[in-house]
Amino acid sequence: MRALALLTPFVSPSLAVSPAYANEQVNEQVSGRGNSALAPPPAPPSVARSLLTDSLHSDSCVAAALTFCLLRPPPMSSPRFITESEAALHRSQESCWLISSGKVYDVTGFLRMHPGGKALILERAGSDVSRVMDGPPHRHSLNARRWLEQYCIGQLAGTQEATQRQTEGTGHEVASGNVEQDLVDWQKPLLWQVGRLGEKYDEWVHQPVDRPIRLFYSDFIESCSKTSWYVVPVVWLPLVAYLSYFCYTSMSQDSTRLTDRFAFPHKWAFPFLFLLGMFIWTLVEYLIHRYVFHMRPPASNYFLITLHFMLHGQHHKSPFDSSRLVFPPIPASLVIGFFYGLLQLLLPKAVGISLFVGGLFGYVLYDMIHYYLHYGSPSKGSYLYDLKTYHVKHHFEHQRLGFGITTKFWDYPFKTLIPEETHEKQH
């Protein structure tokens, strides 16, 4: 393992990843377990194993092996032509294919994420959805069509274009992980690269992809930047319960004076303040999302671009990275602590804490709803179904509108409501 850490001196200082991360990448490449959407195709096993065996005697061979496996430009995949009858066999949740514009797509992994629900895709599985993509009732955006291309597995046989490609010996070729086809190197942490994109950053970050993102070189810091959805309620709901009990008992003992002329006379004021805190949170949620998460950093400012990508840009670039859909507790505690101190300065203790705990509960709901909007399958016609459709439009088509997550309420007075589509609905 000591030898694996010596890659940097043989290649470039910009490749300084942690030994554990580099070792993990090599192991995945050699064993064939690597994600094809993340990394280039592995070196031939015989070559890779030979190089790694020789590394027991020579550190320079390790550098050669890692360079070959990780940095070699990937070869194009062989052309594949698929008949309609073959595509029609894939109509289940376990294997779901679609045909569109003469290409065949394996969307099995996308079923759970589809904003209209997996049922809409399964109804059309194995068939041509070209007209459906154009609407009505919904015309898919350019980003949605670009997203679909990630799942392309071949050309539809029998079409004029496919016949010509077969004659010429070419087909739909996909080079997964080809750095030359993107503005960043996906084999390295992105946080230190995006600031150099300059004028291209805003367009690049709003072209979503279906792949996980690595931000930091350090494995420890990287792990702290990721959070499973259930961590949020586990960390914050006990605090909500404790502070709710404290406020309720404090107000039941005596009246809580807000001003010289106005006081809360009994314990029933707590539910009102709690709900008011939740309502205030919806405004805070909107303002943070619009003015902080969606700030437009100057193209010349490396720091602000990097900050924007760390706060929210990475979520728009990879909206279905499940480890980055909720806010990590450590940075969240700094923001939560700020609001707690602010309310304590402005209001009497019991009143301030009551508003704070209502807002904290609103934040927990916000994170849970946000995760569900990306990975849940709400019933058609329900409130959450409408929110899911609305939020996906924000990601794929209207990035400067639709800033409400738990509610669209504040989009109305601030005039950022996503407009309804003009397509007539199908009968």
Side-chain angles (χ1 to χ4, degrees):
M1 293 305 99
R2 179 184 65 83
L4 292 174
L6 299 178
L7 170 65
T8 302
F10 290 101
V11 187
S12 164
S14 65
L15 301 178
V17 298
S18 66
Y21 177 58
N23 187 40
E24 175 186 348
Q25 295 299 312
V26 175
N27 287 339
E28 289 187 352
Q29 291 295 332
V30 175
S31 64
R33 291 182 288 107
N35 187 338
S36 62
L38 286 173
S46 59
V47 175
R49 289 194 183 95
S50 174
L51 286 170
L52 290 175
T53 300
D54 292 343
S55 70
L56 294 174
H57 308 288
S58 172
D59 286 339
S60 62
C61 286
V62 174
L66 288 173
T67 304
F68 187 75
C69 293
L70 296 178
L71 306 178
R72 176 175 60 92
M76 293 294 185
S77 58
S78 358
R80 183 180 182 185
F81 300 94
I82 302 170
T83 63
E84 288 189 32
S85 57
E86 182 183 354
L89 298 175
H90 298 266
R91 305 170 58 89
S92 67
Q93 296 187 52
E94 290 71 31
S95 181
C96 182
W97 292 7
L98 294 175
I99 301 170
S100 181
S101 302
K103 297 178 184 178
V104 181
Y105 303 88
D106 183 353
V107 295
T108 309
F110 182 65
L111 288 175
R112 184 183 175 191
M113 298 180 278
H114 185 244
K118 61 184 178 183
L120 288 180
I121 296 183
L122 289 172
E123 288 174 4
R124 300 169 174 84
S127 63
D128 195 321
V129 296
S130 301
R131 292 185 179 180
V132 177
M133 293 288 289
D134 290 331
H138 171 63
R139 180 179 178 83
H140 289 72
S141 66
L142 178 61
N143 269 338
R145 296 169 189 272
R146 185 184 292 113
W147 181 277
L148 182 62
E149 289 302 314
Q150 298 174 106
Y151 307 114
C152 185
I153 57 174
Q155 193 84 23
L156 182 64
T159 62
Q160 183 176 357
E161 182 181 0
T163 303
Q164 181 179 354
R165 286 176 179 267
Q166 282 179 305
T167 303
E168 297 172 353
T170 61
H172 181 77
E173 300 168 338
V174 180
S176 299
N178 191 343
V179 175
E180 296 178 357
Q181 293 184 358
D182 205 341
L183 299 175
V184 297
D185 185 348
W186 286 86
Q187 299 301 323
K188 305 174 187 176
L190 298 186
L191 193 60
W192 317 114
Q193 303 181 57
V194 294
R196 300 187 180 93
L197 295 182
E199 296 178 350
K200 299 178 181 179
Y201 171 74
D202 189 68
E203 180 181 3
W204 174 85
V205 82
H206 290 125
Q207 293 177 354
V209 296
D210 185 12
R211 64 198 305 173
I213 283 177
R214 184 178 178 96
L215 295 178
F216 301 96
Y217 285 104
S218 166
D219 291 335
F220 174 74
I221 299 177
E222 178 70 12
S223 65
C224 292
S225 72
K226 297 180 178 182
T227 309
S228 299
W229 69 267
Y230 56 81
V231 172
V232 173
V234 166
V235 170
W236 299 116
L237 285 185
L239 182 60
V240 170
Y242 171 76
L243 292 180
S244 296
Y245 175 77
F246 170 80
C247 294
Y248 183 78
T249 54
S250 296
M251 289 188 170
S252 65
Q253 294 173 4
D254 194 6
S255 61
T256 300
R257 186 166 296 280
L258 184 61
T259 67
D260 292 337
R261 295 185 178 182
F262 184 74
F264 294 100
H266 52 69
K267 60 188 177 183
W268 299 114
F270 171 70
F272 168 76
L273 291 171
F274 185 91
L275 293 175
L276 180 61
M278 289 183 64
F279 179 73
I280 293 174
W281 162 256
T282 62
L283 176 60
V284 173
E285 165 200 316
Y286 175 90
L287 294 176
I288 291 177
H289 190 190
R290 180 177 180 180
Y291 294 107
V292 179
F293 290 170
H294 278 270
M295 66 174 176
R296 303 189 74 169
S300 59
N301 196 313
Y302 175 92
F303 172 76
L304 284 181
I305 292 177
T306 303
L307 178 64
H308 176 267
F309 188 74
M310 181 172 63
L311 289 176
H312 196 62
Q314 45 88 11
H315 173 54
H316 269 261
K317 188 61 183 177
S318 182
F320 293 99
D321 186 344
S322 60
S323 64
R324 300 188 185 278
L325 285 176
V326 296
F327 216 52
I330 294 177
S333 63
L334 300 177
V335 180
I336 290 171
F338 167 78
F339 282 110
Y340 177 83
L342 180 65
L343 290 172
Q344 287 295 285
L345 286 175
L346 298 178
L347 298 168
K349 184 175 182 179
V351 176
I353 295 179
S354 297
L355 288 173
F356 169 79
V357 73
L360 181 58
F361 184 69
Y363 158 70
V364 174
L365 287 181
Y366 153 79
D367 254 352
M368 296 300 94
I369 289 176
H370 184 224
Y371 185 90
Y372 186 77
L373 295 184
H374 282 264
Y375 272 99
S377 298
S379 302
K380 190 172 183 178
S382 65
Y383 176 73
L384 288 175
Y385 182 91
D386 182 49
L387 276 184
K388 181 181 176 76
T389 304
Y390 189 76
H391 188 59
V392 171
K393 288 180 181 179
H394 166 75
H395 271 283
F396 282 82
E397 191 170 7
H398 299 281
Q399 292 88 359
R400 303 299 175 192
L401 299 171
F403 299 107
I405 305 295
T406 56
T407 176
K408 295 188 284 185
F409 177 83
W410 295 107
D411 281 315
Y412 287 94
F414 284 98
K415 298 182 179 180
T416 54
L417 190 71
I418 295 177
E420 295 290 337
E421 294 188 59
T422 56
H423 274 303
E424 295 182 2
K425 292 189 176 181
Q426 290 175 322
H427 298 288

